[in-house]
Amino acid sequence: ETDVELRRKLVTFVVSGGGFSGVEVIAEVNDFVRDVVRSYPRIPREEIRCVLVHSRERILQEMDEGLALFAQRILAGRGVELKLGDRLVAATSEKAILKSGAEIPSKTIVSTVPSAMPPLLEKLQCAKEKGRLLVDQQLALKGREGQVWAVGDCAFIQTVSGTQAPPTAQHATREANRVATNIAAEIHGGERALFAFEGLGKLGALGHNCAVAEVFGIKISGVLAWLLWR
């Protein structure tokens, strides 16, 4: 591509959201693009931009602060631009538009921010918390115990210890098993069980054989964390 402005848009990649999904996407894209550009000597390396936009002051809010700051240093050292304290508010086929008013010319914009609840759930007249269906520790909808249960991203779930269950697969599959057990108990009689799963750990890949991890309370970074992630 000989049009310099268009070429720069084509080699600029913007990812919105600094959670696990956003961090892993920008890390992999950055690695891939910077590796493959060796085969394209007419593309100046300094034109490549990989930008991560996050509304908070640090990425990976779900993780220990030390591990999150380690991840930021790794990404920045590999050429990823971190735009913290800002957010994506609009996108066109030509640019990403941030809340601060900044515009980033780009042809590739990826959003990893949390999804909103479906309109059907918003219209339900029932107990809710932060827009999600509020359930008890048996995963039954508050006020509709024995009739309605909710699991996964649509539900606001707290474990027995009071920890809010995150919308991850390791939690959702166990929520499903617990609900199945409790529905069977409701139909056939028996004791219903509480949801007590606190999670096996949190892992985030940073590309190039590097990751951060919290597994059973142990904090790990670097190659070992990447092996665990794999």
Side-chain angles (χ1 to χ4, degrees), residues 86-134:
D86 209 344
R87 67 173 70 234
L88 182 72
V89 294
T92 73
S93 61
E94 302 294 326
K95 61 187 175 182
I97 303 169
L98 308 186
K99 185 178 181 180
S100 63
E103 297 182 354
I104 306 173
S106 174
K107 286 288 190 179
T108 305
I109 302 169
V110 181
S111 175
T112 67
V113 297
S115 59
M117 290 297 99
L120 174 63
L121 293 183
E122 295 177 358
K123 294 177 182 178
L124 291 179
Q125 299 298 314
C126 62
K128 296 176 186 174
E129 182 72 26
K130 297 180 179 179
R132 301 175 186 275
L133 304 184
L134 180 61

Side-chain angles (χ1 to χ4, degrees), residues 6-225:
L6 176 57
R7 187 176 67 216
R8 286 176 175 167
K9 291 178 183 178
L10 291 170
V11 294
T12 298
F13 305 87
V14 180
V15 174
S16 172
F20 288 110
S21 298
V23 167
E24 292 186 352
V25 168
I26 198 67
E28 294 294 341
V29 168
N30 187 61
D31 281 358
F32 174 74
V33 173
R34 295 187 187 281
D35 283 345
V36 79
V37 76
R38 299 170 186 168
S39 302
Y40 299 88
R42 294 179 62 186
I43 300 178
R45 286 182 170 237
E46 59 271 16
E47 288 187 2
I48 295 173
R49 294 183 68 192
C50 293
V51 185
L52 180 63
V53 182
H54 188 51
S55 61
R56 307 290 287 274
E57 293 305 316
R58 70 170 174 87
I59 62 175
L60 297 176
Q61 289 289 323
E62 306 91 338
M63 298 203 80
D64 170 77
E65 183 176 6
L67 289 175
L69 294 177
F70 171 83
Q72 287 184 188
R73 291 194 298 271
I74 290 293
L75 292 176
R78 292 176 177 173
V80 174
E81 297 178 38
L82 299 172
K83 292 193 176 293
L84 305 176
D86 209 344
R87 67 173 70 234
L88 182 72
V89 294
T92 73
S93 61
E94 302 294 326
K95 61 187 175 182
I97 303 169
L98 308 186
K99 185 178 181 180
S100 63
E103 297 182 354
I104 306 173
S106 174
K107 286 288 190 179
T108 305
I109 302 169
V110 181
S111 175
T112 67
V113 297
S115 59
M117 290 297 99
L120 174 63
L121 293 183
E122 295 177 358
K123 294 177 182 178
L124 291 179
Q125 299 298 314
C126 62
K128 296 176 186 174
E129 182 72 26
K130 297 180 179 179
R132 301 175 186 275
L133 304 184
L134 180 61
V135 301
D136 61 19
Q137 292 172 349
Q138 297 177 349
L139 305 181
L141 184 64
K142 288 287 185 70
R144 297 291 182 90
E145 290 84 356
Q147 299 174 315
V148 182
W149 286 261
V151 298
D153 293 11
C154 73
F156 185 88
I157 299 170
Q158 288 187 317
T159 65
V160 174
S161 68
T163 304
Q164 183 180 347
T168 62
Q170 61 174 309
H171 287 80
T173 54
R174 289 166 175 83
E175 291 161 14
N177 287 332
R178 179 61 67 229
V179 162
T181 299
N182 288 341
I183 290 175
E186 181 69 26
I187 295 172
H188 302 294
E191 186 176 348
R192 288 186 285 181
L194 303 178
F195 185 70
F197 179 68
E198 298 293 342
L200 301 175
K202 305 170 185 176
L203 300 96
L206 305 175
H208 274 315
N209 302 344
C210 186
V212 288
E214 288 182 65
V215 181
F216 298 118
I218 301 173
K219 301 168 188 175
I220 309 168
S221 60
V223 176
L224 179 57

